Amino acid sequence: MLILNLIIVLLLFAGLHIMKRKEVSFGKRILFGLFAGILYGAGLQAVYGLGADVIKETVSWLNVVANGYIHLLKLIVTPLILVSIITSILQLKDIRTFRTTGLTIIGILLFTTLIAAGIGAASALGYGLSAVGMPAGDAELGAAQKIETKLQGFQAASIQEQLINIIPTNVFHALTGQGQADTLSVVFLAAVIGLSILHIRQYRPESAEFLQKIVVYGQDIVMEVVEFILRITPYSVLALIAKFIATSNVESIMKLISFVAASYTAILAMFLVHLLLVAIGKYNPLDYIRKAFPVLSFAFTSRTSAGTLPLTTHALEHDFGISKGIANLSASFGISIGQNGCAGVYPAMLAVMIAPTVGIDPFTLPFLLKLVVITAIGSFGIAGVGGGATFAALVVLSTMGLPVGLVGLLIAIEPLIDMGRTALNVSDAMVTALLTQRIIGEADAAEDALGEARAEA
């Protein structure tokens, strides 16, 4: 039976290859991979039953494509962030321009996270969610213990120390991405290098030009790898979603179906806010959905904002026409700051659920205001990979004085919710780029008009 299962997978892959040769659009191939994977995964579970050995064997082969692809994405993320931010800075006129663009992007990311936290809390209250009396199995209790241990390590460092840790003491260790703050460390390192070259340009332009060429050559190599990743993305989407559907425990998911419904209600509500912001920014919301769909569908299946970074930057530049500087900065900042799904909606919902277990009324205005503000501030530095939402929850719950171990109760449905959260995170980064382009563009136009008026005067 294993051979038959693998033959079907190969036939589906062949179908994707034929679509590519016939020049079917990237979005349609992603869509085919998504639905083919859903049907294939559901078929495996329907025929063999959940937990069957043949499913495990089939999934082990699917992992060659699914996990191999995720590893490839993780491999390229750090160099992509590094060269993208440096290149973005070098394309700006001066340090003042970088300050304006960077602060605009961060401001929009935090603003949307503030809204996301409010929506998450409102959704949890609307569905009447509460962790009081929730059953915990062995897996949930084990997860709770691990989370408690993780929190102890997090609390061992003060806020001041956590800020200091963003500054890397070893460049090469930071580039490995093994630490909690390494994503922000790479962003910091890239900003320092880019701003240094920008400053050198003022008094030694020949050295700055040489350094800029080195960065551009490095970006050429990185982007060639990104192009390869894009070509194999539809195959990975098929493998990822088939693996998820084939191994999901429907009974476990049904136990907490209210939380799933509340989560996706909040996620969809926040996505509508994104569309409203897109409209305010004078873009067509339907056009945004059409162009963003391939990227968001991959984020949904892969569950990694950082891994989606190559697709995000590519879509912003080539499909939306966003300048390379703003596209790279927004996408790079978006995987470590803001994150509407993982660092906004999710921690706020958990806080509302857990508050009654310690005698706190989540309907009180002071509690809700404190929760929204802390969630927004705590969204800094949340890694854009699997597990980032858990870390965000640790920050918010511990700051609110709530027990963090109860996060382990939701382990059964974590993957399902994480799919929607990740897609929302990526959408936030893309919307931020669109709004920043509009704001910076109009500001530049106004400045040019003022300059012309002064010249005429």
Side-chain angles (χ1 to χ4, degrees):
M1 300 305 294
L2 174 63
I3 300 299
L4 177 61
N5 295 342
L6 296 181
I7 289 175
I8 295 175
V9 172
L10 292 176
L11 289 174
L12 293 173
F13 283 171
L16 284 169
H17 180 66
I18 292 172
M19 293 174 70
K20 173 67 168 61
R21 292 184 61 181
K22 291 185 176 182
E23 298 183 351
V24 176
S25 69
F26 181 72
K28 290 180 180 178
R29 284 183 282 129
I30 286 283
L31 192 61
F32 175 84
L34 181 65
F35 284 106
I38 291 173
L39 293 175
Y40 180 71
L44 287 178
Q45 190 170 146
V47 173
Y48 303 110
L50 181 65
D53 290 338
V54 66
I55 290 183
K56 294 178 181 178
E57 293 174 356
T58 303
V59 167
S60 68
W61 284 102
L62 287 175
N63 278 335
V64 175
V65 177
N67 291 349
Y69 184 79
I70 296 300
H71 285 192
L72 184 61
L73 286 170
K74 290 180 179 179
L75 172 69
I76 199 62
V77 164
T78 297
L80 180 60
I81 292 175
L82 188 66
V83 299
S84 294
I85 291 181
I86 295 175
T87 305
S88 301
I89 294 174
L90 295 181
Q91 290 176 348
L92 302 175
K93 292 182 293 185
D94 49 36
I95 295 178
R96 176 178 170 274
T97 305
F98 169 77
R99 185 165 56 244
T100 301
T101 304
L103 290 178
T104 300
I105 291 171
I106 293 174
I108 294 173
L109 289 171
L110 291 181
F111 172 70
T112 55
T113 303
L114 199 71
I115 297 174
I119 290 176
S123 181
L125 292 172
Y127 276 83
L129 300 182
S130 175
V132 175
M134 287 183 64
D138 293 338
E140 287 80 3
L141 292 174
Q145 293 174 357
K146 290 180 181 179
I147 292 171
E148 292 282 9
T149 302
K150 186 175 182 180
L151 177 62
Q152 292 175 3
F154 173 76
Q155 289 179 329
S158 64
I159 295 177
Q160 295 89 336
E161 290 174 330
Q162 293 169 39
L163 292 174
I164 293 172
N165 287 337
I166 293 175
I167 305 175
T169 57
N170 186 313
V171 171
F172 301 102
H173 182 269
L175 293 175
T176 63
Q178 297 180 29
Q180 288 181 345
D182 278 353
T183 300
L184 280 180
S185 295
V186 174
V187 172
F188 175 84
L189 180 63
V192 169
I193 295 174
L195 291 174
S196 297
I197 298 176
L198 207 60
H199 185 66
I200 292 173
R201 185 186 292 169
Q202 299 176 4
Y203 63 88
R204 194 173 295 174
E206 65 279 1
S207 296
E209 183 178 357
F210 173 75
L211 294 171
Q212 184 167 347
K213 286 182 179 179
I214 294 177
V215 175
V216 171
Y217 295 151
Q219 187 183 40
D220 288 342
I221 296 174
V222 171
M223 294 312 296
E224 185 62 30
V225 177
V226 169
E227 289 295 332
F228 169 73
I229 291 174
L230 289 173
R231 287 194 293 270
I232 63 175
T233 296
Y235 304 93
S236 67
V237 168
L238 193 156
L240 284 163
I241 194 66
K243 169 188 171 183
F244 172 76
I245 296 297
T247 57
S248 293
N249 187 332
V250 179
E251 293 182 0
S252 295
I253 293 175
M254 291 300 293
K255 288 190 305 181
L256 298 172
I257 194 64
S258 294
F259 187 79
V260 175
S263 296
Y264 275 94
T265 297
I267 289 169
L268 291 174
M270 191 60 207
F271 185 70
L272 291 176
V273 172
H274 286 177
L275 295 182
L276 177 61
L277 293 174
V278 166
I280 293 174
K282 301 178 182 178
Y283 293 97
N284 188 328
L286 295 179
D287 193 45
Y288 170 77
I289 294 175
R290 180 178 61 83
K291 293 178 178 179
F293 177 78
V295 181
L296 300 183
S297 62
F298 175 75
F300 185 85
T301 55
S302 66
R303 296 171 53 206
T304 164
S305 303
T308 312
L309 181 62
L311 282 73
T312 307
T313 54
H314 183 274
L316 286 173
E317 291 181 45
H318 295 87
D319 297 329
F320 289 97
I322 303 299
S323 67
K324 182 175 291 186
I326 291 177
N328 288 330
L329 283 176
S330 297
S332 299
F333 283 172
I335 66 173
S336 57
I337 300 173
Q339 293 215 353
N340 289 179
C342 290
V345 169
Y346 185 66
M349 290 186 66
L350 288 183
V352 170
M353 283 183 65
I354 294 173
T357 66
V358 291
I360 297 176
D361 182 3
F363 284 91
T364 58
L365 185 59
F367 172 83
L368 293 175
L369 290 176
K370 180 181 178 182
L371 173 62
V372 170
V373 173
I374 288 176
T375 301
I377 296 174
S379 68
F380 272 90
I382 302 304
V385 295
T390 299
F391 185 68
L394 293 179
V395 175
V396 173
L397 296 179
S398 60
T399 305
M400 295 289 292
L402 300 173
V404 299
L406 291 175
V407 177
L409 295 175
L410 303 174
I411 188 174
I413 56 171
E414 175 68 16
L416 179 60
I417 300 171
D418 196 40
M419 300 170 85
R421 289 191 314 232
T422 306
L424 187 64
N425 295 341
V426 174
S427 177
D428 182 40
M430 299 181 79
V431 170
T432 296
L434 294 177
L435 295 179
T436 302
Q437 176 93 337
R438 182 68 67 191
I439 294 171
I440 297 300
E442 291 180 354
D444 290 343
E447 186 175 339
D448 292 341
L450 181 62
E452 292 177 1
R454 286 174 176 172
E456 293 176 357

